[in-house]
Amino acid sequence: MRARSIPPPPPAVRRLLAPLWPLVGVVVTGLMVPVVLAGAVHALVDRRARLLRMACLAVLLLWVDIRTLARCWALAAGSVTSGRVPWRRAHERVFTEALDALMFYTRRWLGLEVRLSDRMHFGTDGRPLLALARHAGPFDSLAIAWLLARTAGRLPRIVLAEALRWDPGVDTLLTRLDSYFVPSAGRDRLAGVRGMAASLAPDDVLLLFPEGENWTPARRARLIERLRRGGEDERAERAERLVNVLPPKVRGAWAARSARPDADVMIVAHAGYGQLSSARLVWEAMPFHDRPFLVRTWTYRAEDVPDEPVAFAAWLEARWRQVDAWVSTHTAAGGIPTALGPDEQTGA
């Protein structure tokens, strides 16, 4: 089941989940102790120690989430509430430090390493930035959000599935940071995107994934089949020419662009994890020491991005063809990124 099809918790459940979350952490940690011990024994057979790595990482990430929630409670109980700007800056620090912790533990236990294939350009000073990213493989949302926060120095505003409100840490922190939780059904699902884009500060970046869902071979095949059945042969042919990405859904990107026409636009491609499209493939690839998360970005001034919907749709589709070609060029057999050049930089 896709996250966006899961309904959010009712308000009463949300209020109950938050104070119970540390207790849930204690219970889950206790239940995971036998799994960790079994993973340690299994590591004698599996030299990659995959069960041990996953069990330890799951517990650590749960407690990062609980610590984030506790820090939000501390901010609400403290004196930071004296002004909107200090309140927001304090929560931004919590968010950045949570991203750092998530990346640290994922790198430590799974070998996730973010690398840049070229120098990043972060747009014009004093302007917000719209980042439109490829969506494929595990960890891509986390890695790109962290990269923007730490390398670009711009804290990302994020559009999330409303189902993520079941996580009290995510719900509390990102609600306070005015992120948008896309409703699973009903209401104008683009209204929040427009509102977020319109409210961007000059040093903010709005992170969107125009494909709307993770690329997998099965989703690509289903999309092409659905277009064929609907008589949209031209769109189906364009989708068939895209090997590594799904065709971008223009409405969300255009909602952000039209609400903030002064924002520069960054296109984000990545290679290395897109082929890990199932739990089995992720398990077989672990740990990822020989598989860096390779990132390439292209940044366009606001003046160079079409400001009319039809032209913008054509422009975005052209950018996605560029992303697809780059991924193909930088992916070898097995989905491993090709060797890095001497000018390529390490981001983590």
Side-chain angles (χ1 to χ4, degrees), residues 11 29 68 74 202 257:
T29 301
T68 298
R257 166 67 178 157

Side-chain angles (χ1 to χ4, degrees), residues 100-347:
D100 285 343
L102 292 171
M103 284 298 299
F104 172 81
Y105 289 124
T106 307
R107 180 171 60 243
R108 171 67 179 80
W109 287 94
L110 294 187
L112 175 63
E113 181 182 5
V114 180
R115 296 185 185 178
L116 300 178
S117 74
D118 203 349
R119 189 179 303 277
M120 294 179 73
H121 175 61
F122 308 126
T124 308
D125 290 341
R127 285 184 180 178
L129 183 67
L130 302 179
L132 307 178
R134 178 197 185 205
H135 203 10
F139 315 119
D140 64 333
S141 302
L142 168 63
I144 294 169
W146 174 83
L147 186 64
L148 290 170
R150 278 305 183 198
T151 306
R154 291 175 179 255
L155 190 71
R157 306 273 295 278
I158 306 174
V159 176
L160 312 98
E162 204 171 25
L164 290 174
R165 289 195 185 277
W166 284 98
D167 182 327
V170 171
D171 185 13
T172 302
L173 177 60
L174 295 186
T175 295
R176 293 184 186 181
L177 287 173
D178 302 318
S179 290
Y180 178 53
F181 291 83
V182 180
S184 56
R187 292 180 282 167
D188 182 358
R189 302 181 70 181
L190 299 179
V193 175
R194 286 190 289 266
M196 284 182 64
S199 67
L200 291 175
D203 59 347
D204 280 345
V205 54
L206 175 57
L207 175 58
L208 297 173
F209 296 90
E211 290 157 286
E213 56 188 347
N214 257 4
W215 174 94
T216 68
R219 283 178 181 155
R220 175 179 178 271
R222 284 196 300 268
L223 172 65
I224 293 170
E225 182 182 358
R226 186 166 63 247
L227 292 172
R228 292 286 188 198
R229 285 201 311 265
E232 300 183 74
D233 292 337
E234 184 177 345
R235 289 185 62 196
E237 290 173 4
R238 294 204 302 268
E240 284 180 328
R241 289 194 288 269
L242 298 174
V243 178
N244 308 287
V245 296
L246 299 175
K249 298 177 180 178
V250 178
R251 292 178 63 221
W254 173 247
R257 166 67 178 157
S258 59
R260 206 57 194 266
D262 61 322
D264 294 337
V265 179
M266 173 186 282
I267 304 297
V268 184
H270 57 83
Y273 287 68
Q275 298 297 324
L276 304 182
S277 55
S278 70
R280 179 182 63 82
L281 292 173
V282 172
W283 178 265
E284 291 175 351
M286 288 170 47
F288 309 119
H289 298 304
D290 61 343
R291 185 186 291 266
F293 186 88
L294 185 63
V295 179
R296 173 70 159 92
T297 64
W298 298 265
T299 303
Y300 301 87
R301 297 183 309 163
E303 297 85 355
D304 298 329
V305 179
D307 57 3
E308 188 275 327
V310 175
F312 177 80
W315 179 87
L316 184 59
E317 288 188 2
R319 302 289 75 74
W320 238 242
R321 290 194 295 271
Q322 182 180 15
V323 168
D324 185 57
W326 181 88
V327 174
S328 293
T329 301
H330 287 78
T331 304
I336 306 295
T338 54
L340 299 177
D343 60 335
E344 295 178 326
Q345 309 167 37
T346 298

